[in-house]
Amino acid sequence: MDNQNLKAFITVAELGSFSEAADRLYLTQSAISKRIAQLEQQIGKKLFDRIARQVSLTEAGSELL
């Protein structure tokens, strides 16, 4: 697992927002989304439920956190 992907995951989980995580990590929202997608692919499970502009952890996301 890539440390940068994990850092992005933890930041999104803490803030509940991809865009706020992007601002905090000085990245674009697209870069955060790609890092989360890579992590989800590595793990083979969905980590966040994305509804409109809100995100919440899935069970797998909670276990990883």
Side-chain angles (χ1 to χ4, degrees):
M1 263 183 249
D2 182 276
N3 284 342
Q4 296 301 321
N5 292 351
L6 285 172
K7 186 173 185 178
F9 165 73
I10 292 167
T11 306
V12 171
E14 288 175 348
L15 299 176
S17 167
F18 279 57
S19 59
E20 288 183 35
D23 289 343
R24 173 148 323 155
L25 297 174
Y26 303 104
L27 297 168
T28 63
Q29 185 174 346
S30 175
I32 294 291
S33 294
K34 287 178 185 175
R35 288 180 184 210
I36 299 300
Q38 289 173 351
L39 191 56
E40 288 176 330
Q41 186 175 19
Q42 288 175 336
I43 292 172
K45 294 183 181 180
K46 188 174 167 185
L47 299 172
F48 291 102
D49 284 321
R50 298 160 178 91
I51 301 170
R53 292 190 161 183
Q54 294 185 343
V55 295
S56 59
L57 288 169
T58 63
E59 187 175 327
S62 293
E63 288 175 16
L64 180 60
L65 187 60

